[in-house]
């Protein structure tokens, strides 16, 4: 999204996938097992991901992008960039200026809810497909915990994007523990 307000949620999803999922695809390829890498080299096959790994990364890329767009709302006034979809801000009558001034409203919360709900759906899909991704590759998908945590807190603060609870430092230990538990205990 090149500094302009995105037209709709689909555009936001597509942008998020192209930016964030592409990095996840590369990371997943790098984490393929040694035996699979040798097989590809011996048989002169192009390197590829399993369908489940590709889908998990695609959904996670979309979730990360949408979540980051929500996280930037308190800072939108600084560079005067609103990354909420125009179709939703228009439908709920949310002005750019009210967001730039950090004015919370029921209308803004509705817009944030719709974007957050879509991000949560992508987190859920990532988790579903991630269960079938090789353990060696799941490390690439650990950022699902960060997106999931932000969305949980956002829901807890009733979708107020300016609530200080969204940016508290004390959550770090909890997040580190959740990520370590997934990585070490192999629980997805």
């Amino acid at each position: 999204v090149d500094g302009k307000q995105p037209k709709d949620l689909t555009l936001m999803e597509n942008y998020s996938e192209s930016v964030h999922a592409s990095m996840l695809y590369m990371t997943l390829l790098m984490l393929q097992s040694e035996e699979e890498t040798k097989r590809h080299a011996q048989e002169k096959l192009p390197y590829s991901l399993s369908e489940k790994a590709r889908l998990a990364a695609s959904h996670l890329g979309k979730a990360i992008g949408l979540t980051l767009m929500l996280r930037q709302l308190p800072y939108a006034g600084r560079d005067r960039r609103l990354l909420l979809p125009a179709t939703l801000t228009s439908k709920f009558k949310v002005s750019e200026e009210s967001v730039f001034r950090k004015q919370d409203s029921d209308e803004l919360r509705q817009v944030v809810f719709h974007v957050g709900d879509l991000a949560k759906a992508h987190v859920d899909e990532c988790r579903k497909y991630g269960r079938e991704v090789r353990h060696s590759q799941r490390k690439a998908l650990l950022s699902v915990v960060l997106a999931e945590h932000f969305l949980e807190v956002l829901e807890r603060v009733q979708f107020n994007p300016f609530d200080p609870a969204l940016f508290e430092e004390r959550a770090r230990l909890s997040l580190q523990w959740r990520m370590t538990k997934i990585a070490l205990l192999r629980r997805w």
Side-chain angles (χ1 to χ4, degrees):
V1 185
D2 54 1
K4 293 184 243 170
Q5 184 179 17
K7 181 180 147 213
D8 56 29
L9 278 171
T10 303
L11 182 65
M12 289 176 73
E13 281 182 299
N14 292 341
Y15 175 80
S16 296
E17 182 178 26
S18 69
V19 170
H20 301 285
S22 60
M23 295 300 290
L24 293 168
Y25 298 143
M26 286 192 305
T27 306
L28 285 165
L29 281 169
M30 290 171 47
L31 291 172
Q32 281 186 355
S33 69
E34 194 174 315
E35 110 188 4
E36 190 171 7
T37 304
K38 285 179 184 174
R39 186 178 64 82
H40 279 275
Q42 288 170 347
E43 297 176 23
K44 296 188 173 134
L45 297 171
Y47 291 98
S48 63
L49 294 172
S50 72
E51 184 64 11
K52 302 297 183 183
R54 193 192 63 71
L55 287 168
S58 172
H59 285 290
L60 180 54
K62 291 174 186 177
I64 289 170
L66 294 171
T67 302
L68 288 173
M69 288 179 196
L70 291 174
R71 282 185 64 90
Q72 72 81 32
L73 284 174
Y75 312 104
R78 241 189 321 194
D79 52 5
R80 307 207 49 88
R81 287 181 53 198
L82 182 59
L83 296 179
L84 292 173
T87 53
L88 288 177
T89 56
S90 175
K91 177 180 177 181
F92 291 103
K93 298 179 178 28
V94 173
S95 73
E96 283 185 351
E97 214 39 57
S98 67
V99 176
F100 295 158
R101 291 185 184 149
K102 300 181 185 179
Q103 294 174 337
D104 182 31
S105 67
D106 290 338
E107 295 79 14
L108 176 61
R109 288 179 187 221
Q110 282 295 317
V111 174
V112 171
F113 168 79
H114 284 295
V115 176
D117 189 51
L118 182 59
K120 175 69 168 100
H122 286 299
V123 163
D124 293 343
E125 288 296 301
C126 172
R127 284 207 173 270
K128 180 177 93 176
Y129 292 117
R131 286 184 191 96
E132 299 180 45
V133 172
R134 286 186 184 85
H135 289 290
S136 63
Q137 291 179 306
R138 284 189 189 164
K139 295 173 200 160
L141 304 175
L142 282 176
S143 54
V144 73
V145 173
L146 302 173
E148 188 173 53
H149 173 76
F150 179 82
L151 295 169
E152 287 168 359
V153 176
L154 187 62
E155 184 176 10
R156 203 174 324 128
V157 299
Q158 300 173 337
F159 300 96
N160 175 0
F162 307 119
D163 193 295
L166 291 167
F167 307 96
E168 287 181 351
E169 291 294 317
R170 68 182 177 170
R172 276 193 189 162
L173 286 176
S174 170
L175 286 171
Q176 288 172 344
W177 169 245
R178 285 168 73 177
M179 292 173 82
T180 302
K181 187 171 75 173
I182 290 170
L184 293 177
L185 302 177
R186 296 183 173 191
R187 292 190 180 151
W188 189 249

